[in-house]
Amino acid sequence: MNTGQWLGLVTGVLFGFLLQKGRVLRFDKQVGAMLLKDMTIFKFMLSSILVGMVGILLLSNFEIVTLSHKPMNVGAVLLGGALFGVGWAVMGFCPGTSLGALGEGRWHAVFAIMGMVAGAALYAELYPVLKSTVLAWKDFGKIGLPEAMGISQWVIVPFFWVGIIALFFWFEKKRV
Amino acid sequence: MKWKTADGGWNPYLAGALLGLLAIVSVFATTQLLGKTSYLGASTTFVRAAGILERTIAPDRVATNEYYTETKVRVDWQFMLVIGIVLGAFISSTADKSFKLEGVPPTWEERFGPSVGKRAVGAFVGGIIAMVGARLADGCPSGHGLSGMMQLSVSSFVALVMFFGVGALVARIVYGRRVS
């Protein structure tokens, strides 16, 4: 294995460990979040975003790392996001957590993984058609919120933090 | 607020914050060691896995397919990351005894009964739809939900709203018919 593969493996083990400790891998947690009955996944995801955001934006500010926005292709993000939502609700896993769920013994994740591999192969077949249709509608390119809104990221980040922390207090008050 | 949850897990705010730290260390490490910043993600690996499998039966089809060519079918950093997730979850769950063999999850069973076959069909079909969506949107809850949000990407905000919005709607339709 090369350096990249080793680094990926070590990072993945830590990623899987934290996902499992956070108890976000289970079908019931994922569907529970979608039914707004169990906020564990929101707490976990939003906490990681708050912390990761500050570090990554600082590193990019000092040009130590480069940001890599995914394109704001309107048709792709809207239709793709909606399709993902449909599949996610039925499958009860997302791509990353399906593997983690398998690791903690939830073996029905195997069917989800097989479905997703089949879905990827299907997408590769559909790609030429999608490229000239959905993907060709409107693409705003790889943009970040600061450029789109015309304000500094260091103005956006504090607002984000305050909003999310307020949400956390509400979760705890409601005991969800 | 407690450090541990009732089922022996870690406080989700703490585990999430630690994942945030891991994401920071990971972008730094990939930039330093591999020369290119890589962000946590998972769904592209499914394309590579599909390409590797398909190559064994139809090598020409994979070689000439535009999407496989753009994605570069190989076992890369993210591929090993995804494999690592299985290992990490296994280590964590066996260490705190939360490892459990499960063929049908409770919420599913309440609605559709204990049939493994039904659950298999649901997971498989759901998987196909979700992956087509993830590739079209160019990311999943890891790539968009975590990495994209951390970078304040416009597309990730929209994608996440769609993921959860449509997911919530469909979950209500699929699992909502309950007595309680």
Side-chain angles (χ1 to χ4, degrees), chain B residues 72-96:
Chain B
K72 297 189 189 78
V73 177
R74 55 169 184 198
V75 177
D76 67 341
W77 172 83
Q78 196 202 75
F79 202 104
M80 293 313 293
L81 177 99
V82 169
I83 305 278
I85 294 175
V86 186
L87 279 175
F90 178 74
I91 294 167
S92 167
S93 63
T94 43
D96 69 10

Side-chain angles (χ1 to χ4, degrees), chain A residues 2-3 6 18 22 37 45-46 48 61 63 76 102 105 115 148 153 166:
Chain A
N2 61 36
T3 314
W6 275 113
L18 290 173
K37 282 182 178 167
M45 276 185 84
L46 292 170
S48 74
N61 233 18
E63 290 173 4
L102 183 64
Q153 58 195 27

Side-chain angles (χ1 to χ4, degrees), chain B residues 43-64:
Chain B
S43 61
T44 316
T45 293
F46 286 82
V47 179
R48 301 201 171 101
I52 289 168
L53 289 172
E54 209 177 319
R55 206 152 53 184
T56 60
I57 44 169
D60 297 341
R61 202 164 176 86
V62 176
T64 53

Side-chain angles (χ1 to χ4, degrees), chain B residues 95-143:
Chain B
D96 69 10
K97 298 189 172 60
S98 58
F99 183 93
K100 191 179 141 209
L101 289 175
E102 174 190 275
V104 181
T107 308
W108 179 276
E109 190 170 344
E110 270 179 49
R111 177 69 185 79
F112 296 104
S115 157
V116 176
K118 271 192 197 170
R119 171 62 195 141
V121 172
F124 188 79
V125 175
I128 294 176
I129 300 169
M131 188 50 64
V132 170
R135 290 331 302 149
L136 191 54
D138 202 14
C140 59
S142 300

